[in-house]
């Protein structure tokens, strides 16, 4: 719920409740005052009646308002007020009255006086109180609603703008976060806190990024020294055992270096350091790779089938596109069986590479994990890189097993739900 | 042939220099940007091996001085960074080649020779080894003055072997040379057998000697010495 809606709703409830309380209190207070007025009125009437009885002995009787009669001493009633209901002849319904009863003694004769006053005005009273208050409620709320809506455009404008800036902010951009001053203390305090926070995070992010890169680069120099020395060692006339040990060491160093480079590449892709993207025709890249891999295919006697009825065009970084296809090919060759096949299908939306291979326990969830490997010769990074490239370019990649073949499909018509940063 | 090696890592510098001296080059060494800058502006070199990351400056900035004073020198950039940007800007500034650490000496030798061949047009585009001759310009290979037809890979293989003659080359190094930087080939290096066997057959057919020596099934040496 929007902040303003919430505020408006609360305004509404607070106002409604307080107005209800006010009108209830008002109702009772007014009723009390009115009753007092009525009593006063009654007493005045009594006085006038007593005066009339005294002067000419006339007993005025107007039902139901005035009732007077002579009574004997034993029928004296004490002075009292009570509310009674009397049926109204004209409208045939019960109506409330305040009844005053008193006995007065005039010239040694007791007179019972009953005076009644209608309380019917009460209903009108409620209406008279509630209606203006209801009008007040509606009026206040309408004005408030219009005003807050209007203020929203001015007061919240800068806040809204800053919110948009923050939403679109990414650490990958070089630019620092800059927020507009709102001249509202709370908002400016929030801005300051956010800027401090992002500055710190931004610094940490850069340091981490640099550390990963520098660490990887620094590793290459000692690796170079090891490699060069081993290579020189190999040039001496070594006995078979030593020769094999040196070659094994050289290969291990190379693996280490290549592993290091793969990790570095993965980090770079994760950091979005390959930003220039072009529309690339995947068919061409696949055809080129097929040629490059021909000797490997021949050696394992793999049959390759390419079905391209349509062209697949993807917006990719060129270098990453090469790596992507290369890694998929490497994977299809490496995990194949002798006399196996590789099937490549390219449609307008999809690239699918299927290869024969041994049974495995891998699933779509595990196959792309780093260091998931089937044999000790691979690093288990190739497919992790493939996945990372696809993720970065908002492409969907998934692994399936079809007719005992292992298939990787890249689909471009996939709505990628961006994680909230 | 004079080579200037610019590299701040002593161990790397010395190993490289020793190897290149053995290969018949005269080597001069520079360990810092300042030293390199001075040498480049005073002396003339045929090849300059340039490490980009120097403690007192970026190697790429040396390119300007090199282009001013050493126009005939071939420059090979050596970098710990496998960065495409550096590669592009290096080549844009006039470098002839770009190598990433760690590299192998046989590969470095091949690259140096290739740069030299490209830069000099006075007949040095002929690489010879006994009865075998390679014209790197027309890409023709002759054995006993008879032209033999080689595939692209066989040609590259032969050139690599002759340039790195008398040197032990591992299967992996050869495969990488032919394959450039196709990562993650793992244990699939054996395919060079096929190429090598075909090459041997073609040379033998032209009555050439078989100079390829197999070392314990793990490496090769191209040599006429026993």
């Amino acid at each position: 719920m929007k902040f303003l809606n919430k505020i408006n709703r609360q305004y509404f409830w607070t106002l409604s409740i307080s107005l209800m309380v006010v009108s209830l209190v008002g109702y009772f207070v007014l009723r009390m005052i009115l009753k007092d007025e009525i009593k006063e009125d009654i007493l005045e009437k009594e006085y006038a009646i007593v005066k009339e009885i005294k002067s000419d002995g006339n007993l005025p009787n107007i039902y139901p308002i005035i009732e007077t009669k002579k009574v004997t001493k034993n029928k004296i009633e004490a002075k009292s007020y009570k509310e009674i209901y009397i049926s109204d002849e004209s409208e045939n319904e019960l109506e409330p009255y305040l009844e005053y009863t008193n006995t007065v003694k005039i010239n040694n004769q007791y007179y019972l006086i009953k005076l009644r006053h209608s309380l019917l005005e009460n209903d009108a009273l409620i209406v008279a109180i509630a209606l203006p208050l209801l009008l007040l409620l509606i009026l206040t709320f309408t004005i408030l609603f219009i005003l807050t809506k209007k203020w929203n455009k001015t007061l919240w404008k800068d806040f809204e703008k800053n919110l948009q800036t923050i939403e679109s902010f990414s650490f990958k951009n070089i630019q620092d976060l800059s927020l507009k001053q709102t001249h509202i203390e709370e908002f400016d305090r929030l801005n300051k806190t956010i800027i401090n926070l992002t500055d710190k995070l931004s610094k940490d992010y850069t340091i981490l990024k640099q550390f990963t890169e520098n660490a990887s680069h620094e590793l290459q120099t000692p690796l170079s020294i090891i490699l060069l020395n081993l290579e020189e060692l190999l040039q001496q006339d070594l006995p078979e055992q030593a020769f094999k040990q040196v070659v094994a060491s050289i290969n291990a160093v190379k693996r280490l270096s290549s592993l290091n480079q793969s990790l570095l590449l993965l980090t770079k892709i994760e950091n979005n350091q390959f930003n220039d993207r072009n529309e690339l025709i995947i068919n061409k890249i696949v055809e080129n790779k097929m040629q490059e891999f021909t000797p490997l295919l021949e050696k394992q006697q793999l049959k390759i089938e390419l079905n391209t009825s349509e062209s697949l065009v993807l917006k990719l970084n060129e270098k990453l596109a090469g790596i992507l296809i290369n890694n998929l090919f490497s994977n299809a060759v490496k995990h194949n069986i002798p006399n196996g096949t590789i099937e490549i299908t390219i449609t307008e939306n999809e690239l699918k590479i299927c290869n024969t291979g041994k049974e495995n326990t891998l699933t779509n969830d595990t196959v792309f994990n780093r260091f998931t490997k089937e044999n000790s010769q691979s690093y288990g990074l190739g497919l992790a890189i493939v996945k990372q490239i696809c993720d970065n370019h908002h492409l969907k990649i998934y692994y399936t097993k079809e007719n005992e073949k292992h298939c990787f499909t890249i689909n471009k018509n996939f709505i990628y739900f961006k994680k909230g940063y | 042939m004079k080579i200037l090696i610019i590299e701040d890592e002593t161990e790397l510098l010395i190993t490289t220099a020793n190897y290149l001296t053995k290969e018949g080059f005269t080597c001069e060494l520079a360990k810092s940007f300042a030293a390199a800058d001075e040498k480049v502006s005073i002396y003339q070199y045929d090849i300059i091996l340039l490490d980009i990351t120097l403690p007192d400056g970026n190697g790429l900035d040396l390119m300007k001085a090199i282009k001013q004073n050493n126009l005939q020198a071939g420059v090979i950039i050596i970098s710990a960074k496998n960065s495409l940007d550096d590669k592009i800007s290096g080549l844009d500034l006039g470098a002839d080649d770009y190598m990433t650490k760690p590299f192998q000496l046989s590969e470095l030798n091949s690259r140096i020779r290739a740069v030299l061949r490209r830069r000099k047009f006075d007949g040095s585009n002929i690489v010879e080894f006994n009865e075998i001759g390679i014209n790197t310009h027309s890409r023709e290979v002759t054995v006993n003055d008879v032209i033999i037809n080689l595939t692209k890979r066989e040609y590259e293989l032969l050139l690599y072997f002759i340039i790195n003659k008398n040197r032990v080359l591992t299967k992996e190094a050869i495969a990488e040379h032919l394959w450039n930087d196709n990562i993650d080939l793992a244990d699939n290096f054996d395919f060079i057998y096929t190429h090598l066997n075909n090459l041997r057959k073609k040379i033998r057919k032209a009555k050439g000697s078989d100079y390829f020596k197999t070392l314990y099934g793990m490496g090769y040496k191209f040599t006429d010495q026993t």
Side-chain angles (χ1 to χ4, degrees):
Chain A
M1 196 192 287
K2 272 200 167 180
F3 181 76
L4 260 168
N5 290 349
K6 192 137 194 159
I7 281 268
N8 276 343
R9 192 168 288 198
Q10 285 193 354
Y11 273 151
F12 182 75
W13 285 118
T14 318
L15 263 172
S16 310
I17 290 168
S18 48
L19 280 174
M20 217 135 80
V21 171
V22 167
S23 29
L24 269 179
V25 171
Y27 168 74
F28 283 112
V29 170
L30 260 170
R31 224 175 93 124
M32 227 165 68
I33 294 169
L34 270 176
K35 231 176 181 172
D36 280 351
E37 287 290 319
I38 291 169
K39 280 177 185 170
E40 235 168 77
D41 191 42
I42 286 172
L43 287 178
E44 262 169 43
K45 269 186 197 151
E46 188 194 22
Y47 180 73
I49 290 166
V50 169
K51 216 174 146 186
E52 201 173 310
I53 296 174
K54 266 182 186 166
S55 59
D56 50 12
N58 227 353
L59 291 181
N61 262 314
I62 309 167
Y63 184 82
I65 302 170
I66 302 166
E67 233 180 287
T68 45
K69 60 183 175 191
K70 289 179 184 171
V71 285
T72 51
K73 199 182 174 182
N74 53 354
K75 286 239 175 118
I76 291 169
E77 282 182 46
K79 192 176 183 174
S80 69
Y81 292 98
K82 63 179 173 195
E83 279 181 41
I84 54 159
Y85 286 90
I86 295 170
S87 79
D88 180 22
E89 284 161 4
S90 59
E91 291 175 39
N92 204 13
E93 59 184 34
L94 289 174
E95 281 181 6
Y97 279 83
L98 183 68
E99 188 186 68
Y100 170 78
T101 316
N102 198 14
T103 322
V104 287
K105 192 181 167 192
I106 304 163
N107 304 327
N108 281 325
Q109 172 64 51
Y110 291 100
Y111 295 91
L112 180 72
I113 302 171
K114 276 185 193 245
L115 297 173
R116 299 189 186 91
H117 197 283
S118 171
L119 287 175
L120 206 61
E121 293 95 334
N122 274 346
D123 284 350
L125 189 70
I126 295 168
V127 175
I129 295 168
L131 198 69
L133 282 176
L134 191 72
L135 277 174
L136 185 71
L137 176 74
I138 293 169
L139 196 71
T140 321
F141 194 72
T142 318
I143 291 172
L144 207 67
F145 188 75
I146 293 168
L147 275 182
T148 42
K149 201 128 214 195
K150 213 170 173 184
W151 289 336
N152 184 31
K153 282 198 179 124
T154 51
L155 275 178
W156 293 81
K157 198 175 80 186
D158 291 339
F159 179 80
E160 198 69 44
K161 214 169 190 176
N162 284 340
L163 202 64
Q164 275 173 12
T165 317
I166 295 167
E167 273 169 352
S168 60
F169 177 74
S170 160
F171 290 118
K172 280 149 202 162
N173 298 338
I174 311 147
Q175 274 178 326
D176 281 341
L177 182 69
S178 74
L179 298 175
K180 223 178 153 192
Q181 207 177 353
T182 58
H183 300 292
I184 295 168
E185 202 197 323
E186 287 84 355
F187 291 167
D188 283 342
R189 244 173 65 205
L190 183 69
N191 285 357
K192 220 170 136 188
T193 318
I194 288 172
I195 285 175
N196 285 344
L197 210 65
T198 47
D199 276 357
K200 185 164 177 345
L201 283 173
S202 196
K203 257 178 222 151
D204 288 354
Y205 178 77
T206 317
I207 287 168
L208 189 70
K209 218 168 77 177
Q210 279 172 352
F211 173 78
T212 321
E213 267 192 72
N214 289 345
S216 298
H217 290 151
E218 286 309 315
L219 268 172
Q220 300 292 24
T221 306
L223 286 176
S224 302
I225 296 169
I226 299 173
L227 190 61
L228 291 197
N229 285 327
L230 285 173
E231 207 193 335
E232 283 307 277
L233 202 59
L234 199 65
Q235 303 311 319
Q236 295 159 17
D237 269 334
L238 295 174
E240 181 171 358
Q241 179 77 10
F243 185 90
K244 283 184 172 167
Q245 281 168 349
V246 173
V247 171
S249 303
I250 287 178
N251 291 341
V253 171
K254 280 191 178 168
R255 261 184 79 182
L256 196 58
S257 158
S258 152
L259 177 65
N260 189 29
Q261 266 167 10
S262 296
L263 278 173
L264 185 62
L265 177 69
L266 206 51
T267 314
K268 278 183 172 173
I269 302 170
E270 271 177 359
N271 290 345
N272 256 336
Q273 277 170 285
F274 297 93
N275 277 327
D276 48 320
R277 294 174 183 184
N278 297 312
E279 302 258 318
L280 301 175
I281 302 166
I282 300 303
N283 305 44
K284 277 188 190 166
I285 303 175
V286 170
E287 277 161 26
N288 286 343
K289 276 290 163 215
M290 266 172 68
Q291 281 197 331
E292 269 185 50
F293 273 80
T294 310
L296 289 182
L297 301 172
E298 281 167 2
K299 202 224 138 203
Q300 288 205 46
Q301 301 190 318
L302 300 176
K303 252 198 274 166
I304 191 156
E305 268 175 49
L306 179 64
N307 309 309
T308 52
S309 46
E310 292 157 317
S311 290
L312 174 65
V313 179
L314 294 179
K315 200 164 176 161
L316 275 169
N317 175 284
E318 208 169 335
K319 191 181 178 195
L320 293 186
I323 293 170
L324 179 75
I325 306 297
N326 188 72
N327 287 8
L328 284 174
F329 257 97
S330 290
N331 188 69
V333 173
K334 229 185 319 184
H335 301 296
N336 222 316
I337 45 172
N339 298 313
T341 56
I342 297 175
E343 282 167 32
I344 303 165
T345 315
I346 302 177
T347 66
E348 202 187 330
N349 298 314
E350 248 183 26
L351 165 68
K352 189 171 182 181
I353 298 185
C354 292
N355 63 278
T356 48
K358 291 179 205 106
E359 278 282 306
N360 64 34
T361 53
L362 294 172
T363 66
N364 185 43
D365 292 326
T366 57
V367 75
F368 297 110
N369 288 348
R370 290 175 193 195
F371 303 111
T372 299
K373 47 188 183 178
E374 276 178 85
N375 62 52
S376 60
Q377 282 295 322
S378 63
Y379 315 123
L381 280 177
L383 288 175
I385 290 172
V386 165
K387 175 93 168 98
Q388 190 65 52
I389 293 173
C390 286
D391 282 355
N392 269 36
H393 291 81
H394 301 184
L395 299 168
K396 161 103 173 160
I397 177 150
Y398 53 93
Y399 167 67
T400 46
K401 282 173 200 164
E402 291 170 21
N403 305 326
E404 289 172 20
K405 280 181 184 154
H406 306 276
C407 295
F408 289 89
T409 312
I410 294 178
N411 194 311
K412 78 170 181 182
N413 283 346
F414 168 70
I415 305 148
Y416 183 82
F417 294 102
K418 225 176 165 183
K419 280 179 220 148
Y421 287 105
Chain B
M1 291 288 178
K2 257 172 87 181
I3 294 189
L4 174 65
I5 310 170
I6 305 166
E7 165 68 60
D8 62 316
E9 202 69 38
T10 314
E11 192 72 32
L12 214 56
L13 188 64
I14 289 169
T15 316
T16 313
N18 280 345
Y19 165 73
L20 290 176
T21 310
K22 257 192 281 172
E23 285 294 315
F25 293 103
T26 311
C27 295
E28 285 203 24
L29 315 176
K31 279 190 71 177
S32 66
F33 185 92
D37 197 29
E38 196 186 307
K39 283 203 166 132
V40 164
S41 51
I42 300 172
Y43 307 106
Q44 300 289 307
Y45 299 96
D46 297 296
I47 291 282
I48 296 171
L49 302 182
L50 176 61
D51 184 7
I52 295 188
T53 38
L54 294 169
D56 53 343
N58 187 330
L60 284 179
D61 296 335
L62 270 174
M63 285 303 298
K64 216 180 190 178
I66 293 170
K67 287 294 131 190
Q68 261 171 18
N69 304 306
N70 266 286
L71 201 58
Q72 80 296 338
V75 181
I76 298 175
I77 290 174
I78 295 171
S79 168
K81 290 187 193 177
N82 190 3
S83 144
L84 197 67
D85 291 343
D86 275 357
K87 188 170 180 173
I88 289 169
S89 51
L91 296 180
D92 274 353
L93 286 169
D96 295 82
D97 208 346
Y98 185 98
M99 287 177 84
T100 43
K101 287 181 189 173
F103 55 88
Q104 282 191 277
L105 292 171
S106 48
E107 185 62 31
L108 178 67
N109 190 23
S110 289
R111 304 272 190 118
I112 291 175
R113 303 286 177 177
V115 170
L116 283 174
R117 284 197 307 272
R118 249 182 286 148
R119 292 217 145 233
K120 311 238 168 171
F121 301 101
D122 47 356
S124 69
N125 55 342
I126 304 289
V127 178
E128 278 180 316
F129 186 85
N130 296 347
E131 70 271 30
I132 302 170
I134 300 177
N135 183 329
T136 56
H137 192 63
S138 59
R139 297 176 79 91
E140 272 175 359
V141 178
T142 52
V143 177
N144 295 320
D145 296 323
V146 179
I147 293 176
I148 59 168
N149 280 320
L150 298 182
T151 64
K152 188 170 163 272
R153 300 256 182 238
E154 287 161 3
Y155 169 83
E156 281 169 5
L157 199 58
L158 182 63
L159 186 61
Y160 183 67
F161 267 114
I162 292 182
I163 281 169
N164 291 298
K165 55 184 178 269
N166 299 323
R167 211 172 152 73
V168 177
L169 303 169
T170 60
K171 274 188 305 197
E172 290 82 1
I174 300 164
E176 268 166 34
H177 175 77
L178 295 185
W179 228 253
N180 293 323
D181 53 0
N182 257 320
I183 43 169
D184 233 14
L185 288 176
D187 59 345
N188 271 313
F189 293 110
D190 292 337
F191 68 90
I192 57 163
Y193 267 132
T194 332
H195 291 298
L196 195 59
N197 277 340
N198 290 341
L199 180 60
R200 278 169 140 167
K201 265 185 231 159
K202 284 179 183 174
I203 293 173
R204 244 181 281 141
K205 216 173 168 187
K207 304 215 163 47
S209 313
D210 187 4
Y211 298 114
F212 298 94
K213 301 234 161 6
T214 311
L215 298 166
Y216 313 117
M218 301 186 90
Y220 299 93
K221 197 172 183 178
F222 190 80
T223 182
D224 53 359
Q225 298 155 3
T226 43

